[in-house]
Structures are given as structure tokens and as C-alpha cells.
Amino acid sequence: MSRALCCLVGVLMLGAAGAEDARRSGSEFMSASTQAMQRDDTLNPAMLWISGGEAQWGAAAGKSGKSCASCHGEAKEGMRGVAARYPAFHPGSKVTIDLGQRINMCRERKQQAPALRPESEELLGLEAYVALQSRGMPVEPPADAGTRASAARGSELYVRRIGQLNLSCAQCHDQQAGKRLAGSTIPQAHAAAYPIYRLEWQAMGSLQRRLRNCMSGVRAEVPAFGAQELVDLEAWLAVRDKGMKVETPGVRP
């Protein structure tokens, strides 16, 4: 058994054993004012994107003339719990995909419409609107072999030193969590609030954007949006989040 797979199994067994949970959401590392902004939908700037996503949900698109609702019905019912189960292995494509990729797959294959551009307001709005329907539910990464293999690869990437600074994700978010870096508190690596509105960005952003920012920060080669290594990292973060509550839409500094 590989080191990554052993680590994956260990994390799953820890959750199953009901050991004391030392995990803390990124929201716990924020100021009281930012926490309040996330809690109150009337203050949360992300709700503007979600409003756009809700409009798209019911709008016909592509040559099929179908909307998301044409197949899935009301999102509050049809999408309940869906975001909590992504990334997930897609048997037809034989790769693990995240929620944004699943949305684009539906657009291309079912609606016969062009894929939405990564980090576009349209894609982030739809992804956040779908994820909102799982808010408060526990993260439940799929247990199939394909998704587990992807998470195992992500586990290896998480501890791998990269870039000119020769740092890994684990060195910052496990070993240094709670300490200060450039005026901000370093959170643990939990991703159950994405897509998020980040005050620094003054906009919504995906988990892949955050991962790419970190890679750029350690002066490493940055994969393109949609790269499989980014999805594998997302799959591993979902395993780390197993049982934690979906918070989307999150707000971060």
C-alpha cells in the first residue's frame, strides 16, 4: 500500500473511530466582523453571485433549449447534498471531476451549450448556488475506488515540497496553522466553504484559484485551471473535511 493510500485510510479510520476532532473551519480564524458577514446572507457579498446562479438555473441554454431545472427540477430538492459529494470519479470520462467541471459537462452534453469559462461569474454563480443547497450538511467524499485513488494522489501532492521556496501545503496549513503570515492567520486546510468571496479579491473565487495562488506564492509552476493535479488536491481536501459542514458561500479575508 502506498504512503498516500495509507494516509487516506488513516484519515478515514480516524473519522470513523470518533476520535477527538481538532479540525477547525477557516471561518474560526477570521475576525468577528468577517464571521458575521459570512453568517448573514443579507451582508454576504457572495449572495450576489448566487442570485445570478439561481437565475441561470432556470434559464434555457444551448441548442437543446433546456435549463438546469428541466432535468433536475427545483435546486432546493434536486441538488440537496450534491456538492457535499464532490469531487467524484466520473466513470464515463474515467477521471475525477469537481463540481464546476460537472456543471460544464452537463452544459456541453445535455444543454448542447458552450462550457462556461473557469472563474467566470456565470460558472462561480452556478457552482455556489448548487453548493448552497448543501449548506449545513456534512462533507461526504465518495468511497469508490476512482475517487479514493484521486484523493491518494492529492495526499502525495499535499505533502510534496514545491517551488523555489521548497514548501508544501502541509508545512503551512498543518505545522504552522494558527500562526501569522503577512498579517493574516494561517488557517488549517479545509475547503468546505468554497466557492468563497474573498475580501482581498473583491470577488468570488473557486478552490482551484486559491490553490493556484498558493502555488504561485511559493514560486512553483502553476497548473492551468482544470488540471488533474488540482482536482486530486481538491479530492484530498474533501477527505480531510469528511464530516465537517458545508459552509458555502464562505467569506474570507
Side-chain angles (χ1 to χ4, degrees):
M1 184 180 291
S2 70
R3 175 187 175 187
L5 190 53
C6 285
C7 187
L8 173 59
V9 171
V11 169
L12 293 174
M13 289 180 65
L14 178 62
E20 183 178 353
D21 197 341
R23 298 176 301 174
R24 295 173 61 195
S25 162
S27 64
E28 297 185 43
F29 294 85
M30 301 186 304
S31 67
S33 61
T34 307
Q35 290 175 341
M37 189 181 295
Q38 176 172 309
R39 285 195 303 267
D40 189 341
D41 286 349
T42 65
L43 298 177
N44 190 328
M47 297 308 293
L48 294 173
W49 277 258
I50 286 178
S51 178
E54 183 177 11
Q56 289 184 83
W57 182 264
K63 294 180 180 179
S64 72
K66 293 181 178 180
S67 67
C68 303
S70 298
C71 290
H72 301 288
E74 290 290 331
K76 291 180 180 179
E77 298 177 0
M79 293 294 103
R80 183 73 174 156
V82 169
R85 301 191 294 270
Y86 271 84
F89 184 75
H90 186 261
S93 303
K94 293 182 170 48
V95 293
T96 298
I97 59 174
D98 64 16
L99 182 58
Q101 290 171 318
R102 174 70 260 191
I103 289 170
N104 267 333
M105 189 177 290
C106 281
R107 281 184 60 84
E108 293 181 303
R109 299 184 182 185
K110 302 298 184 181
Q111 295 178 297
Q112 299 175 45
L116 297 171
R117 180 177 54 83
E119 295 307 298
S120 65
E121 289 193 9
E122 294 80 7
L123 182 56
L124 288 169
L126 264 175
E127 186 175 354
Y129 179 62
V130 171
L132 177 66
Q133 314 313 319
S134 298
R135 185 165 61 178
M137 298 184 69
V139 175
E140 287 292 343
D144 62 275
T147 307
R148 289 202 311 270
S150 181
R153 293 191 298 271
S155 173
E156 292 179 339
L157 293 170
Y158 184 81
V159 298
R160 182 184 300 169
R161 292 172 179 261
I162 61 173
Q164 294 178 352
L165 299 187
N166 195 34
L167 292 172
S168 69
C169 308
Q171 285 177 283
C172 279
H173 297 289
D174 289 349
Q175 299 171 20
Q176 305 298 325
K179 296 182 180 179
R180 306 283 290 182
L181 176 66
S184 298
T185 303
I186 301 172
Q188 297 174 356
H190 298 298
Y194 282 82
I196 62 167
Y197 182 91
R198 194 168 185 206
L199 300 176
E200 179 186 346
W201 298 336
Q202 289 292 289
M204 289 286 283
S206 69
L207 177 54
Q208 289 202 7
R209 179 177 180 179
R210 177 68 266 181
L211 293 173
R212 294 174 83 249
N213 281 174
C214 283
M215 291 174 176
S216 176
V218 299
R219 302 175 189 172
E221 184 175 350
V222 179
F225 281 108
Q228 196 59 48
E229 54 260 52
L230 293 177
V231 180
D232 290 343
L233 271 171
E234 289 183 271
W236 170 239
L237 293 176
V239 170
R240 288 170 56 89
D241 290 354
K242 179 177 171 61
M244 298 179 74
K245 292 182 179 180
V246 175
E247 297 178 29
T248 309
V251 179
R252 296 292 184 268

